[in-house]
Structure formats: C-alpha cells, structure tokens
C-alpha cells in the first residue's frame, strides 16, 4: 500500500513555457500532499503544502504565482511551473501523508530541464 | 533554529554493519523518520521512532533518544544495493519534516 505516482517522470521544455506535474495517491486518499524540490547533492526543500479543497501553503521564498498548486481531489495534486526558466531546472518530488504517524510517501519524482 | 547533523559520507564493506548517527534540534518534536534515497530517485520510507528505544525491522534498526536529540540507523548484513543516501528527518511541532542533506553510504565489496 501507500503508492504515490508522478507524471511525467522527465520533461524538457523551452524557457517561457509552462509545465504541469501530476501527483496521485494510488491506493489511499491523501488530504495533504507536499511538493519538494531537490537540486543535485542538496537536501529536499519543501516548496508548499497542499490540502485538498483549500489553497496551498507556500514556504518562504517560493513564488505562489510561479508555482501553481491545485489539490482538487483526495488523490490528485498538480504543480504547474509557469513561465519556466533554466534556473527552475530541478528534481520535483511530491509526497502524500498517510497513516497515523504522519509518514510521508513519496512519488518517484519529475526531472525538469528548461532549455 | 532547526538543525540536523549527520555525517556527509560513510564507507562500509559488504556483509558488515554500519551505524549512521543523527543529532537534531527542532521546534517541538513529533517523531523522527529515516528515509533511503538512491541517486536520482525519490526517498523511500524506512522507519519511524517517536518513543525512546530501538525499533527493529529486518536488517535495519533505528534508535531514538529524545532527551539527547539523537538517533541512529543501524544497517546489518550490508548489501551493495544499500549504497544510497540516508536521510534523518525529525518532525516538528507543526508536523513538518525537517530535512538535512543526508549521509551518503558507499558499500565496497
């Protein structure tokens, strides 16, 4: 149990375009999902907390107008990187909260390259 | 502030035992997680400790001392596939995980 999927796994886009990443909890309902970004050899950086049916809570320094998060159902959250730039190239990982101990289960990640 | 301290890198031999230490400081505490992350992949859940003591799960065990702000992950009978980064992540009073850079474990034959 506790399987989280992400799509796409890899995406290359041109500077100025927008990219949507989907995160799905496959075998459980997740009222809370998290979006992280990880640069090579660095720790996970929490970008935002996504709660189903309400607005996402963004971490300090993360532009909410650039990184649009929608958590429209209990099994799906989406992250849209708008007007992407090369510095947005990174590994984006979602996780979903499941269980009584608040353990997070991670999706496989999406590697975004902006050219 | 909130802080995680783990060794940056460790090397061990296949078949041996290795202990990865973690000290932490957080605003409140709601347990501590260990995750494994292979290069280029997302983290996977290994263990969770909320009370003091040792939790054993197969080849992996995790220990917690809340009064010392200290945890360790013990890996036995090391296999080559255990080469990965190991992330110690305490959960603060807001139920947020605090992430450090992790410990890169290199297993040699």
């Amino acid at each position: 149990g506790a399987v989280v999927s992400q799509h796409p796994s890899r995406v290359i886009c041109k500077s100025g375009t927008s990219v949507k990443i989907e995160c799905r909890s496959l075998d459980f309902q997740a009222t809370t999902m998290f979006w992280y970004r990880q640069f090579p050899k660095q720790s996970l950086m929490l970008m935002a907390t996504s709660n189903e049916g309400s607005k996402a809570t963004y971490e300090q320094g993360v532009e909410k107008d650039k990184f649009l998060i929608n958590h429209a159902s209990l099994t799906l959250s989406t992250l849209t990187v708008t007007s992407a730039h090369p510095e947005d190239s990174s590994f984006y990982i979602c996780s979903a909260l499941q269980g009584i101990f608040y353990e997070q289960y991670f999706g496989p990640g999406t590697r975004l390259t902006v050219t | 502030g909130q802080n995680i301290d783990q060794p940056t890198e460790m090397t061990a031999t296949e078949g041996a035992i290795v202990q990865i230490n973690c000290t932490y400081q957080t605003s409140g505490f709601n347990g501590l997680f260990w995750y494994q992350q292979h290069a280029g992949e997302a983290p996977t859940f290994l263990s969770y400790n909320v009370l003091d003591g040792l939790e054993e799960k197969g080849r992996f065990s995790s220990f917690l001392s809340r009064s010392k702000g200290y945890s360790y992950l013990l890996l036995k009978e090391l296999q080559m596939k255990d080469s990965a980064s190991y992330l110690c992540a305490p959960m603060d009073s807001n139920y947020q995980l605090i992430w450090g850079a992790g410990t890169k474990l290199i297993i040699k034959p």
Side-chain angles (χ1 to χ4, degrees), chain B residues 48-56 61-66 70-72:
Chain B
Y48 173 72
N49 294 66
V50 66
L51 299 176
D52 290 351
L54 188 68
E55 293 278 344
E56 296 187 75
S61 303
S62 56
F63 172 84
L64 175 68
S65 169
R66 290 171 296 171
Y70 168 70
S71 175
Y72 68 72

Side-chain angles (χ1 to χ4, degrees), chain A residues 30-92:
Chain A
T31 54
T32 302
M33 290 183 172
F34 301 90
W35 286 96
Y36 292 88
R37 182 166 53 181
Q38 188 176 35
F39 294 104
K41 298 185 180 180
Q42 293 189 21
S43 63
L44 290 164
M45 289 171 44
L46 180 65
M47 299 176 67
T49 302
S50 168
N51 291 300
E52 186 267 338
S54 63
K55 290 184 178 180
T57 303
Y58 290 81
E59 295 300 300
Q60 198 169 13
V62 178
E63 299 175 58
K64 60 182 178 182
D65 294 330
K66 180 170 180 64
F67 299 100
L68 301 178
I69 292 172
N70 187 324
H71 193 159
S73 79
L74 287 171
T75 58
L76 173 65
S77 176
T78 61
L79 167 69
T80 302
V81 183
T82 62
S83 187
H85 289 102
E87 57 264 32
D88 297 325
S89 299
S90 188
F91 191 43
Y92 291 86

Side-chain angles (χ1 to χ4, degrees), chain B residues 25-69:
Chain B
Q25 289 179 312
T26 54
S27 302
F29 181 76
N30 280 300
L32 185 143
F33 294 82
W34 282 94
Y35 283 85
Q36 179 191 61
Q37 186 176 25
H38 284 100
E41 298 181 10
T44 55
F45 170 77
L46 287 179
S47 68
Y48 173 72
N49 294 66
V50 66
L51 299 176
D52 290 351
L54 188 68
E55 293 278 344
E56 296 187 75
K57 196 186 281 188
R59 294 191 297 117
F60 293 4
S61 303
S62 56
F63 172 84
L64 175 68
S65 169
R66 290 171 296 171
S67 62
K68 295 181 179 177

